[in-house]
Amino acid sequence: DRISSELQREMLLTECVSSKQVDRQLVRAAEWQRDHQPNVVPLLDDWRLVGWTSESPMLNSGFFDWFVPQDGSLTVTLGHGDGPMIQSALTAATLQSSIRSHAQHIHDTRKLIGHVNETLWNSSAGGDFASMFIGKIDPDTGVLEYCSAGEAGALLVGTNSVTSLVSPSLPLASEPDNNYQQQTAKLEPGDHLVLFKPTTILPGADDIRVMDPQMLADKLQGALSPNGNMLDIVCAAIEDLAPAADHAVLIVHRLPTN
């Protein structure tokens, strides 16, 4: 009848308005994420940094960051939250804030990741897992000390080789006393450190997929060029492996010597 039709129309109109409001809030949240990406590159001779996240109006589950703490090291990190889009984005924001806070007074990557893990564990009601890579580079020697947790992606790209630096481990916040191992590597002049997010979420579906880091390493190995732009090469390879998904990439380049 007429009254029933009017009520149904009113309900549909209310749902439509509510949906548009939620979409606008998600767009604003995505803008907030982009505004909190680092935009001032450290003034370090012989080093260049560049980061990239997917161009999307929706939330990204990952982030990249860099800074120079009091010990003078070049600190680089990339992380992401696990789970559906909104949950993973909130976890990622908490993770980035925790890393920034602890890195100001903890200069050992193993201790730092331990404190970050404890912070996430204490702030979570359970199930808010996360992954990260944290590395500290000596700008003079190129020595990299690093730790990773969960599904992190890190490749050392040399002139003729691509080497994976990490393997999957327990995610952050899965246990309060997770133990993570510190490792070392060295960036020679001309080398790149490529950090990326292996897990991707397809927009609108919360369909979580894990990209095989070795597949990316193989693609980069076949695309290495002395005159190529590494960011373009990496982004093209990642988009080919996982198109239309959320991505985060950070590239550290030690410039070749003259």
Side-chain angles (χ1 to χ4, degrees):
D1 57 14
R2 180 178 177 182
I3 295 177
S4 177
S5 298
E6 287 295 327
L7 286 173
Q8 193 173 32
R9 178 177 175 275
E10 186 68 25
M11 290 175 62
L12 290 173
L13 181 61
T14 301
E15 290 177 0
C16 181
V17 171
S18 298
S19 177
K20 289 182 178 180
Q21 289 175 341
V22 170
D23 288 344
R24 284 197 294 268
Q25 291 172 355
L26 288 175
V27 169
R28 292 193 187 102
E31 292 172 350
W32 181 91
Q33 284 185 321
R34 289 190 287 272
D35 289 342
H36 283 75
Q37 293 175 357
N39 51 24
V40 178
V41 178
L43 298 177
L44 296 173
D45 292 339
D46 304 325
W47 293 91
R48 297 293 182 270
L49 297 95
V50 62
W52 170 77
T53 55
S54 306
E55 289 295 330
S56 169
M58 306 308 287
L59 294 175
N60 197 308
S61 63
F63 67 90
F64 63 86
D65 205 353
W66 61 63
F67 45 91
V68 178
Q70 294 178 353
D71 65 354
S73 66
L74 172 57
T75 300
V76 294
T77 183
L78 188 144
H80 67 272
D82 292 348
M85 179 183 67
I86 295 178
Q87 175 187 341
S88 60
L90 291 173
T91 301
T94 302
L95 174 59
Q96 184 177 12
S97 176
S98 177
I99 293 171
R100 277 266 180 175
S101 176
H102 289 303
Q104 297 307 315
H105 56 88
I106 300 174
H107 305 309
D108 179 276
T109 59
R110 183 173 177 271
K111 293 180 180 178
L112 192 153
I113 204 172
H115 281 272
V116 169
N117 177 69
E118 186 177 0
T119 298
L120 290 184
W121 169 267
N122 290 331
S123 63
S124 170
D128 295 331
F129 303 141
S131 301
M132 66 174 282
F133 176 100
I134 180 78
K136 298 175 76 69
I137 302 171
D138 184 326
D140 296 325
T141 66
V143 172
L144 164 70
E145 295 181 348
Y146 66 93
C147 270
S148 66
E151 294 283 352
L155 301 175
L156 181 59
V157 182
T159 305
N160 300 303
S161 64
V162 180
T163 305
S164 179
L165 297 180
V166 299
S167 56
S169 59
L170 291 172
L172 296 168
S174 57
E175 294 290 343
D177 54 354
N178 283 344
N179 185 33
Y180 300 102
Q181 299 300 314
Q182 178 172 282
Q183 302 180 72
T184 61
K186 185 175 182 180
L187 278 76
E188 301 290 350
D191 286 353
H192 293 79
L193 173 65
V194 177
L195 308 181
F196 63 97
K197 183 168 71 70
T199 60
T200 59
I201 302 178
L202 299 181
D206 284 339
D207 183 9
I208 302 172
R209 300 179 180 180
V210 179
M211 178 172 52
D212 183 359
Q214 188 57 50
M215 293 179 65
L216 178 58
D218 292 343
K219 275 189 168 292
L220 295 184
Q221 181 72 61
L224 290 180
S225 168
N227 299 318
N229 182 295
M230 184 58 67
L231 180 62
D232 291 344
I233 293 171
V234 171
C235 291
I238 286 178
E239 289 283 11
D240 186 52
L241 290 171
D246 70 326
H247 299 293
V249 173
L250 172 58
I251 298 178
V252 184
H253 183 203
R254 187 179 186 187
L255 300 181
T257 55
N258 295 326

